[in-house]
């Protein structure tokens, strides 16, 4: 029998590495995708079934990724995790930056979903999870393109759930809160940001990549067989409360 395959983008760092490790532990063959160009940039678990170096901004790579993953087995799960931050308020955002952030965070998820859907439809089974953000749901200063891309992912999730639920495919999203990764390392050194986020997170700490990976694994499992079109926050309660914990 062919193994179940999970495609995980942005797997060379942070949340993506944790997701790849979790799927491996759950018995999937993992197709890890990242733009990292040197072998040492791949910090994925040694047992990862296949690595593919690809820049998801390249519109041609989605088909290549889907084909390479299909060669490993049946693609049961697609995790659109790769993303970039660094956006600014609208008045300070140039066209290039807007287009790049929207394309990597949203366009690549659309293209890769389109590439794997025919195989999932044929088998009548599959699960797609987009990694969105709490900043796609709650306004925050200085992050226009990023927030727009993540809000659009939540919309895409609902739309895909409606279109492909009848074909046996579930599509959900996870919206992480403040998770300790390379993406947030610099932000966490800013005391204002740190205070603002941590003081309004009821559990009073940052999250770990594996805590996001656990929810992604749940969404792709049979335990989530009736969960479809949802965006689930993994944020220690930040979005639900923005509770002032201290100060
Ligand atoms: P990270 O540590 O920066 O890791 C992201 C990985 O994706 C990196 O290896 C990155 O490569 C890769 N990547 C970026 N653009 C790519 C492209 N065009 N093609 C291929 N690979 C690409 O980020 P993270 O914190 O793990 O975040 C993962 C996802 O969670 C992102 O979608 C992010 O928006 C979302 N998220 C994170 C947080 C958080 O607190 N960390 C909160 C909410 C949402 P480079 O290193 O070369 O960029």
């Amino acid at each position: 029998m062919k193994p179940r395959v999970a495609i995980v983008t942005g797997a060379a760092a942070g949340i993506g590495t944790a997701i790849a490790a979790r799927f491996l532990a759950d018995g999937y063959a993992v197709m890890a995708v990242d733009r990292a160009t040197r072998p040492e940039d791949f910090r994925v678990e040694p047992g990862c079934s296949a690595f593919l170096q690809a820049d998801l901004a390249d519109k041609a790579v989605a088909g290549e990724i889907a084909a390479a993953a299909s060669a490993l087995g049946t693609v049961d799960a697609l995790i659109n995790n790769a993303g970039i931050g660094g956006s600014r308020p609208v008045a300070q955002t140039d066209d290039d930056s807007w287009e790049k952030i929207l394309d990597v965070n949203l366009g690549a998820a659309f293209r890769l979903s389109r590439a794997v859907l025919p195989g999932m439809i044929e088998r009548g089974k599959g699960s797609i999870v987009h990694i969105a953000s709490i900043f796609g749901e709650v306004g925050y200063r200085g992050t226009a393109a990023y927030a727009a891309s993540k809000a659009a992912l939540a919309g895409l999730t609902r739309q895909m759930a409606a279109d492909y639920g009848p074909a046996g495919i579930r599509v959900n999203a996870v919206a992480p809160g403040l998770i300790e990764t390379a993406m947030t390392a610099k932000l966490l050194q800013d005391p204002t940001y740190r205070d603002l986020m941590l003081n309004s997170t009821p559990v009073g700490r940052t999250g770990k990549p594996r805590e996001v990976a656990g929810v992604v694994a749940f969404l792709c499992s049979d335990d989530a067989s009736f969960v479809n079109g949802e965006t689930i926050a993994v944020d220690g309660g930040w979005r639900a409360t923005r509770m002032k914990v201290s100060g």
Side-chain angles (χ1 to χ4, degrees):
M1 203 169 88
K2 283 187 163 187
R4 293 176 304 166
V5 177
I7 301 174
V8 182
T9 68
I15 294 170
T17 299
I19 295 170
R22 175 60 193 259
F23 275 87
L24 280 172
D26 288 352
Y28 284 79
V30 173
M31 172 102 235
V33 181
D34 204 287
R35 68 179 166 193
T37 50
R38 294 167 304 160
E40 61 269 29
D41 285 339
F42 275 109
R43 296 179 291 276
V44 287
E45 295 291 291
C48 250
S49 311
F51 302 142
L52 197 117
Q53 287 180 351
D55 184 345
L56 293 158
D58 174 353
K59 292 188 170 51
V61 303
E64 287 169 31
I65 294 167
S70 295
L72 291 177
T74 55
V75 179
D76 268 15
L78 165 64
I79 317 304
N80 285 309
N81 166 74
I84 50 175
S87 65
R88 297 172 171 278
V90 166
Q92 283 94 50
T93 301
D94 61 32
D95 287 345
D96 284 351
S97 159
W98 174 262
E99 282 160 18
K100 188 175 173 199
I101 291 168
L102 266 289
D103 189 52
V104 172
N105 292 3
L106 177 64
F110 152 69
R111 289 190 290 272
L112 206 41
S113 298
R114 184 176 58 186
V116 303
L117 276 165
M120 290 181 173
I121 292 167
E122 200 180 308
R123 288 194 312 284
K125 191 173 183 337
S127 183
I128 296 176
V129 177
H130 304 304
I131 306 299
S133 169
I134 49 170
F135 290 166
E137 304 185 23
V138 175
Y140 196 83
R141 280 163 45 186
T143 184
Y146 182 80
S149 71
K150 296 299 187 178
L153 274 178
L156 183 67
T157 299
R158 290 188 292 272
Q159 186 59 42
M160 289 176 65
D163 285 334
Y164 300 108
I169 297 154
R170 293 181 300 101
V171 183
N172 291 288
V174 169
L178 182 53
I179 311 295
E180 277 186 58
T181 67
M183 184 182 267
T184 52
K186 208 164 152 201
L187 285 169
L188 279 167
Q189 284 167 12
D190 172 0
T192 310
Y193 178 84
R194 203 183 160 84
D195 283 357
L196 211 60
M197 291 301 296
L198 283 186
N199 284 345
S200 51
T201 298
V203 302
R205 62 170 176 84
T206 56
K208 306 281 183 226
R210 65 173 162 71
E211 294 177 299
V212 180
V215 178
V216 174
F218 160 72
L219 286 171
C220 293
S221 75
D222 288 343
D223 285 342
S225 51
F226 207 49
V227 183
N228 194 23
E230 283 301 316
T231 296
I232 298 181
V234 181
D235 65 349
W238 185 88
R239 184 194 64 174
T241 66
R242 276 172 287 160
M243 182 180 88
K244 193 84 178 149
V245 174
S246 63

